[in-house]
Amino acid sequence: MNPSRRVLRLYPGPTEECALEGLYLEHPLDHGDDSGRPFVYTNFISSLDGRIAVEDPRHGGHSVPGTIINDRDWRLFQELAARADALLVSARFLRDLATGKAQDVLPVSRDPAYGDLHEWRARQGLPPQPAVVVLTRSLDPSLAELCEGYERPVYFAVGAEVDRTALARVEAAGVRVITAGRGESVEGAMLVDALAGEGMSRLYSIAGPWVLDTLLRNGVLHRLYLTHFHRLLGGRSFDTMLEGDALDPPSSFEPRALYYDPRADDGVGQFFTVYDILAGA
Ligand SMILES: NC(=O)c1ccc[n+]([C@@H]2O[C@H](COP(=O)([O-])OP(=O)(O)OC[C@H]3O[C@@H](n4cnc5c(N)ncnc54)[C@H](OP(=O)(O)O)[C@@H]3O)[C@@H](O)[C@H]2O)c1
């Protein structure tokens, strides 16, 4: 095997070299209970000083820092998407796709480099692409119209207090709307239950800090895949992984795996960490 495609597993021991490809494709994805509830997971890449997004001088607003993005983490991101029944995304992500600001199209990428992931889905009997579930408060019908070309089921998830005219226009564009909240916002538990009702058992959030807050506040998240890129970035305007009011109680995690990837970008490395939420902590 090409040594540059290897990473070092540090935990659980003993330390062992492993192939980068397949690392997250084969990782067990189950919560081990018989509740029938979907397994919910997310992932982030962060600088050592906790930045997941910084000012984007080219497009305005924030985006993932170009100084930490790298192909090796991207491979694992695609592997996690390959395993999902549905991707949870924010309306902001769709807006960025429309304006060309988004990092890439929705996974699983059609780039030939990821052809094995499409074959893997086919072998599992999964549809070619995971469904997309867009969390939104603003419910902009023009975003729904953009989804017409996506070759996968698309759902918009909203709270009950939503503009009824916008809702009718979204549905007219062929998008299913799920009401999963009592007020203006989507609530994690209602969303997961609704998607379980659609027959989905693996939900992958590729959204940011507000959606993470939504999933943690209702205790529906099971796993966090977190890449720590070994750079400090500084800067005054940035996002961290989590937004919103302080969690009370805080969410506690236990490490499930830790991999060292020494060759991510220009000789700088990264840790791939996998954390399971501690139920009842
Ligand atoms: N480094 C990384 O790994 C990583 C990963 C993900 C994202 N990011 C970055 O983080 C930044 C923020 O990402 P993001 O906008 O995707 O994520 P976000 O902050 O989780 O989501 C924000 C948007 O999602 C909708 N939303 C969130 N929670 C909702 C709820 N409970 N109910 C209804 N709607 C809800 C709202 O849409 P409306 O505006 O329609 O109301 C809101 O504006 C971006 O710069 C992104 O690039 C980085």
Side-chain angles (χ1 to χ4, degrees):
M1 185 196 312
N2 178 348
S4 69
R5 303 307 291 172
R6 288 182 185 197
V7 298
L8 194 61
R9 192 186 67 220
L10 301 174
Y11 180 81
T15 303
E16 190 178 49
E17 279 201 349
C18 323
L20 176 75
E21 275 82 10
L23 203 63
Y24 285 175
L25 201 58
E26 303 302 336
H27 208 250
L29 272 190
D30 59 78
H31 43 52
D33 67 41
D34 53 10
S35 63
R37 267 204 161 172
F39 186 85
V40 184
Y41 58 108
T42 188
N43 104 301
F44 287 90
I45 181 166
S46 167
S47 66
L48 285 183
D49 46 348
R51 271 84 171 144
I52 64 140
V54 294
E55 275 182 322
D56 182 339
R58 205 164 131 230
H59 299 97
H62 285 180
S63 58
V64 183
T67 46
I68 65 173
I69 288 171
N70 66 90
D71 287 353
R72 297 162 74 86
D73 175 70
W74 200 243
R75 165 76 200 186
L76 298 184
F77 170 78
Q78 297 288 340
E79 290 192 3
L80 291 176
R83 302 194 63 185
D85 293 316
L87 307 174
L88 308 184
V89 308
S90 69
R92 192 273 323 157
F93 181 79
L94 282 200
R95 287 192 282 271
D96 284 1
L97 276 180
T99 59
K101 182 184 168 191
Q103 208 175 331
D104 202 353
V105 294
L106 281 161
V108 180
S109 167
R110 281 288 172 194
D111 184 310
Y114 306 110
D116 63 312
L117 301 182
H118 294 283
E119 288 163 16
W120 185 88
R121 281 186 72 86
R123 279 201 303 279
Q124 310 302 312
L126 293 167
Q129 292 284 7
V132 175
V133 181
V134 184
L135 278 77
T136 182
R137 284 184 203 90
S138 57
L139 192 61
D140 173 358
S142 66
L143 283 184
E145 285 149 19
L146 281 176
C147 300
E148 278 167 18
Y150 292 178
E151 291 160 332
R152 52 177 104 198
V154 180
Y155 301 80
F156 275 32
V158 296
E161 288 174 19
V162 73
D163 180 329
R164 295 282 138 190
T165 313
L167 191 145
R169 282 184 59 198
V170 167
E171 288 181 328
V175 165
R176 288 270 311 277
V177 179
I178 293 176
T179 303
R182 291 158 292 187
E184 291 180 342
S185 300
V186 172
E187 294 170 50
M190 287 175 76
L191 178 65
V192 169
D193 287 346
L195 295 175
E198 296 290 315
M200 298 181 187
S201 54
R202 285 177 180 167
L203 308 177
Y204 176 29
S205 172
I206 61 170
W210 283 107
V211 172
L212 182 60
D213 175 72
T214 303
L215 300 175
L216 288 172
R217 205 159 288 285
N218 273 186
V220 295
L221 185 81
H222 294 101
R223 181 166 301 157
L224 166 65
Y225 290 88
L226 176 58
T227 299
H228 301 265
F229 194 91
H230 299 161
R231 270 187 180 136
L232 292 166
L233 303 185
R236 294 179 196 280
S237 179
F238 56 87
D239 290 309
T240 66
M241 245 166 45
L242 187 58
E243 268 293 355
D245 294 336
L247 294 171
D248 184 17
S251 296
S252 302
F253 291 81
E254 61 182 340
R256 174 100 188 214
L258 168 63
Y259 304 92
Y260 177 41
D261 175 20
R263 307 175 194 87
D265 177 43
D266 206 15
V268 183
Q270 56 197 342
F271 285 141
F272 299 126
T273 62
V274 186
Y275 296 99
D276 279 348
I277 201 145
L278 272 175

